[in-house]
Amino acid sequence: KAGVTQTPRYLIKTRGQQVTLSCSPISGHRSVSWYQQTPGQGLQFLFEYFSETQRNKGNFPGRFSGRQFSNSRSEMNVSTLELGDSALYLCASSHRGASSGANVLTFGAGSRLTVL
Amino acid sequence: AQSVTQLDSQVPVFEEAPVELRCNYSSSVSVYLFWYVQYPNQGLQLLLKYLSGSTLVKGINGFEAEFNKSQTSFHLRKPSVHISDTAEYFCAGDNTDKLIFGTGTRLQVFP
């Protein structure tokens, strides 16, 4: 069973540009979550998508957005990049359905974004 | 505040020695608790989880953790560590709509 796949693994952008990161969840997982990991702030929740709808959102500015497709693949976009957006962006998928229950996340290897 | 606290940022230990990585959670966090491990340049890998039932949870790579409701703790233990256990370890609690992570503990195993 293939794991969570994130592309690209590494990328370098300059301030003001935008970036799109992609995530393919484990087959059968319909929930996809995104986290930002930085040395200073640790792991912070960005958003969660389920059945093409954003179900939960963290405390990030509107420059951070995402979407989910009908095959559960997800993308996140960051517009007008700032130096502080340099981070490891982690995607995770889970079995969690529409009802509440434990959110057991399986993570991808991450996309490391460097903003110059 | 809903939070997960990892009390030690770094834990140095010699190979084959026992280790305990400490984690406390706030009472407002759901009692679904997790430990993840992160190796350099990789994502997070689930070590073990507590969802319900027995308070002693066994995970992969010989790790185990004990859920203690009265002390709101979920400490991770291994009786004998290997060099390959050198990594960052994260404790997390389920806050219904997202996982909240602790700040991580860097386990450094020396030969």
Side-chain angles (χ1 to χ4, degrees), chain A:
Chain A
K1 197 174 189 181
V4 178
T5 303
Q6 291 189 246
T7 57
R9 287 293 313 278
Y10 303 91
L11 66 166
I12 300 173
K13 294 286 188 179
T14 56
R15 280 180 299 173
Q17 287 187 310
Q18 72 163 13
V19 66
T20 299
L21 310 178
S22 179
C23 173
S24 293
I26 289 174
S27 177
H29 284 190
R30 294 165 62 193
S31 168
V32 174
S33 299
W34 289 89
Y35 284 80
Q36 182 196 63
Q37 185 178 25
T38 59
Q41 299 298 317
L43 284 151
Q44 294 195 294
F45 173 75
L46 280 157
F47 26 64
E48 179 198 9
Y49 286 86
F50 177 79
S51 290
E52 302 179 64
T53 301
Q54 187 180 87
R55 181 155 68 176
N56 296 300
K57 188 178 189 302
N59 189 26
F60 278 81
R63 300 185 297 107
F64 292 81
S65 64
R67 58 178 175 168
Q68 187 180 33
F69 302 94
S70 58
N71 62 357
S72 294
R73 190 177 71 86
S74 177
E75 289 181 347
M76 67 162 284
N77 183 276
V78 188
S79 63
T80 319
L81 284 166
E82 301 176 0
L83 295 179
D85 296 333
S86 293
L88 181 66
Y89 289 88
L90 292 164
C91 169
S93 70
S94 80
H95 258 305
R96 190 170 75 159
S99 59
S100 62
N103 198 14
V104 184
L105 298 179
T106 301
F107 283 84
S111 292
R112 183 165 296 280
L113 170 65
T114 301
V115 182
L116 302 176

Side-chain angles (χ1 to χ4, degrees), chain B residues 18 21 25-26 29 36-37 40 46-47 49 51 54 58 63-64 74 78 83 90 92 94 100-101 103:
Chain B
L21 306 184
Y25 63 94
S26 69
V29 171
Y36 284 86
V37 61
L46 181 65
L47 272 179
K49 59 184 182 289
L51 304 182
S54 173
K58 294 190 182 297
F63 284 93
E64 63 181 33
F74 190 55
K78 186 170 182 177
I83 294 287
F90 293 92
D94 193 330
I100 295 179
F101 286 87
T103 51

